[in-house]
């Protein structure tokens, strides 16, 4: 006798946004506007690429990169081979450069997918040269020269030696010479000028090959730093590019979290793990279904905030894995209720504001946003 199946009483009638404890809204049109703004800002003859590494800083490269391609961007940078392989079917023949370069045994994957390896060391140069020799043809690449970061890149002496090696240069056929600025977010830092001088010296070793020095912040240092290609990343996603004046970038993300419960609290009662917040009066609390498993940093305990409508509400107690509590005392009747949304990232609490409150930077807040949020894309091809 076949087992009887239980009746199908679990049909889901609601859509994902209604079920979600929080909604992360990502504005593709704002990202496109930011790229166009940056592309227009660079020097005449230079262009802005798009850095979509880290899954477009956590916001979804599969949606964002094709939207930028449709807007006119034709060069992209990722961090890893797997990121490049995932994007190749979505980006047609656009250039995709992989910043980490090829690891031994993986160089064939670059070639088959038509990815540009960024060659960061003489070992990687030799690996790519040997593949070119085996294939009997030149294979394009990007050369990375270190001008002061001391992370990846050829030292000047290594670049000088490579420039004199005609056979290797012909094999690896560089289409770009790049470096990376260490302190560009601080416009007055003397290292910006030092690296510019070092980059010019390195580029002189490779005449006729386009150059790329600046990422988001470097674009705002001025035309001297623009070279032929700039590589904006964080600024595309609305993050502040430097420490000068108001943020010129259009906000891209909004995070709203649903209230699970509203409760009264008496004076003297405590909130959350460790009893780090004690009420000094009678009031009301709203518990929201997000926590550090969603990228809401634990350091925001007792110092973060949100907005319920136009009302700023303080985060009280510790941030736990799945829950956080806001003080909603004194708000208009009916505003704080189960199912209502508290805004955690938005107009009054930008990514950079939240990063500062958490003791970090907006980059880390952005890239930490978890995968439990319901993601809603606006604009681009999604509109």
């Amino acid at each position: 006798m076949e087992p009887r199946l239980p009746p199908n009483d679990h049909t889901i009638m609601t859509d994902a946004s209604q079920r979600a404890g929080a909604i992360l809204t990502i504005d593709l049109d704002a990202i496109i506007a930011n790229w166009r703004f940056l592309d227009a800002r660079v020097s005449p003859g230079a262009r802005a690429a798009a850095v979509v590494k880290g899954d477009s800083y956590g916001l979804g490269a599969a949606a964002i990169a094709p939207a930028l391609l449709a807007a006119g961007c034709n060069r992209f940078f990722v961090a890893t081979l797997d990121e490049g392989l995932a994007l190749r079917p979505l980006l047609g023949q656009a250039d995709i450069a992989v910043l980490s370069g090829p690891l031994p045994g993986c160089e064939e994957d670059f070639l088959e997918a038509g990815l540009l390896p960024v060659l960061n060391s003489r070992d990687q140069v030799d690996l790519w040269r040997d593949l070119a020799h085996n294939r009997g043809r030149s294979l394009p690449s990007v050369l990375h020269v270190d001008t002061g970061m001391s992370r990846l890149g050829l030292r000047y002496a290594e670049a000088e030696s490579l420039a004199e090696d005609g056979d290797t240069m012909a094999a690896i056929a560089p289409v770009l010479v790049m470096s990376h600025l260490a302190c560009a977010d601080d416009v007055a830092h003397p290292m910006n000028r030092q690296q510019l001088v070092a980059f010019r010296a390195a580029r002189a070793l490779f005449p006729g090959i386009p150059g790329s020095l600046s990422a988001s912040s470097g674009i705002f240092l001025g035309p001297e730093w623009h070279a032929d290609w700039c590589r904006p990343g964080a600024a595309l996603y609305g993050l502040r590019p430097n420490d000068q004046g108001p943020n010129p970038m259009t906000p891209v993300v909004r995070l709203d979290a649903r209230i699970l419960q509203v409760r009264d609290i008496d004076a003297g009662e405590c909130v959350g793990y460790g009893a780090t917040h004690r009420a000094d009066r009678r009031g009301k609390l709203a518990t929201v279904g997000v926590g550090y498993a969603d990228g809401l940093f634990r350091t925001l305990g007792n110092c973060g905030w949100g907005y319920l409508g136009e009302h700023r509400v303080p985060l009280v107690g510790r941030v736990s894995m799945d829950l956080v509590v806001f003080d909603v005392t004194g708000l208009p009747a009916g505003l704080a209720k189960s199912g209502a949304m508290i805004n955690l990232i938005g107009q009054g609490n930008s990514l950079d504001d939240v990063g500062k409150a958490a003791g970090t930077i907006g980059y880390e807040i952005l890239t930490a946003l978890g995968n439990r949020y319901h993601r809603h894309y606006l604009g681009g091809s999604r509109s």
Side-chain angles (χ1 to χ4, degrees):
M1 182 177 177
E2 293 185 2
R4 294 181 61 186
L5 297 176
N8 184 11
D9 292 334
H10 305 289
T11 303
I12 297 174
M13 302 301 294
T14 56
D15 65 29
S17 63
Q18 291 174 294
R19 299 194 304 272
I23 298 174
L24 181 65
T25 302
I26 301 160
D27 190 339
L28 296 175
D29 284 343
I31 295 172
I32 291 169
N34 285 335
W35 176 76
R36 286 176 171 158
F37 169 76
L38 295 167
D39 192 48
R41 188 179 179 96
V42 300
S43 301
R47 291 298 310 274
V51 178
V52 291
K53 65 181 181 178
D55 197 27
S56 283
Y57 287 52
L59 297 183
I64 291 168
L68 287 168
L69 178 68
C73 182
N74 60 10
R75 177 166 281 178
F76 298 83
F77 287 82
V78 296
T80 68
L81 172 58
D82 282 345
E83 289 179 344
L85 293 174
L87 283 180
R88 171 49 76 207
L90 304 178
L91 295 181
Q93 298 303 308
D95 286 346
I96 304 175
V98 180
L99 292 164
S100 61
L103 295 173
C106 299
E107 60 270 31
E108 293 278 358
D109 295 319
F110 279 82
L111 184 58
E112 295 306 315
L115 302 175
L116 281 171
V118 176
L119 304 178
N120 299 292
S121 67
R122 189 59 202 236
D123 287 344
Q124 290 187 340
V125 167
D126 292 346
L127 193 69
W128 198 244
R129 175 204 61 201
D130 291 346
L131 179 61
H133 284 167
N134 289 339
R135 291 300 181 101
R137 60 187 174 93
S138 297
L139 299 178
S141 65
V142 176
L143 282 181
H144 184 182
V145 180
D146 178 31
T147 56
M149 282 281 275
S150 300
R151 300 188 309 179
L152 295 175
L154 298 165
R155 297 176 69 88
Y156 181 83
E158 293 174 313
E160 191 174 37
S161 174
L162 175 60
E164 295 171 353
D165 185 346
D167 177 69
T168 297
M169 286 295 293
I172 64 174
V175 298
L176 193 69
V177 176
M178 65 166 282
S179 192
H180 194 61
L181 295 165
C183 304
D185 57 334
D186 179 357
V187 297
H189 200 289
M191 196 167 178
N192 295 325
R193 177 64 59 175
Q194 293 166 13
Q195 285 194 265
L196 176 61
V197 171
F199 183 61
R200 286 173 171 169
R203 281 199 68 190
L205 300 171
F206 307 101
I209 300 176
S212 176
L213 176 61
S214 292
S216 292
S217 298
I219 293 173
F220 293 84
L221 293 176
E224 288 184 276
W225 283 264
H226 292 171
D228 301 291
W229 282 91
C230 294
R231 311 182 308 274
L236 293 178
Y237 311 112
L239 288 167
R240 183 187 185 93
N242 60 34
D243 56 2
Q244 300 293 303
N247 186 358
M249 310 313 301
T250 302
V252 168
V253 300
R254 178 182 175 93
L255 177 60
D256 298 284
R258 204 178 302 278
I259 295 174
L260 303 179
Q261 182 188 45
V262 178
R263 64 185 303 135
D264 296 325
I265 188 171
D266 290 328
E269 291 188 310
C270 297
V271 178
Y273 285 120
T276 61
H277 175 81
R278 186 182 298 274
D280 59 5
R281 67 197 191 291
R282 286 182 58 83
K284 281 190 182 299
L285 303 177
T287 300
V288 168
V290 298
Y292 56 74
D294 305 288
L296 193 68
F297 280 32
R298 195 168 181 266
T299 50
L300 290 169
N302 293 306
C303 67
W305 69 93
Y307 281 89
L308 186 51
E310 297 179 352
H311 302 273
R312 178 168 165 144
V313 290
L315 189 159
V316 294
R318 286 182 179 169
V319 176
S320 53
M321 181 179 285
D322 312 301
L323 299 169
V324 70
V325 178
F326 291 90
D327 187 340
V328 293
T329 304
L331 267 59
L335 189 60
K337 60 184 178 181
S338 179
M341 291 287 201
I342 292 181
N343 177 250
L344 305 182
I345 298 173
Q347 187 172 1
N349 41 356
S350 70
L351 286 162
D352 295 299
D353 293 335
V354 176
K356 184 176 181 179
T360 183
I361 57 176
Y363 292 61
E364 192 172 7
I365 300 297
L366 181 61
T367 57
L369 294 174
N371 58 15
R372 296 198 295 185
Y373 300 126
H374 172 71
R375 292 180 174 227
H376 177 54
Y377 291 93
L378 297 175
S381 62
R382 306 290 181 117
S383 58

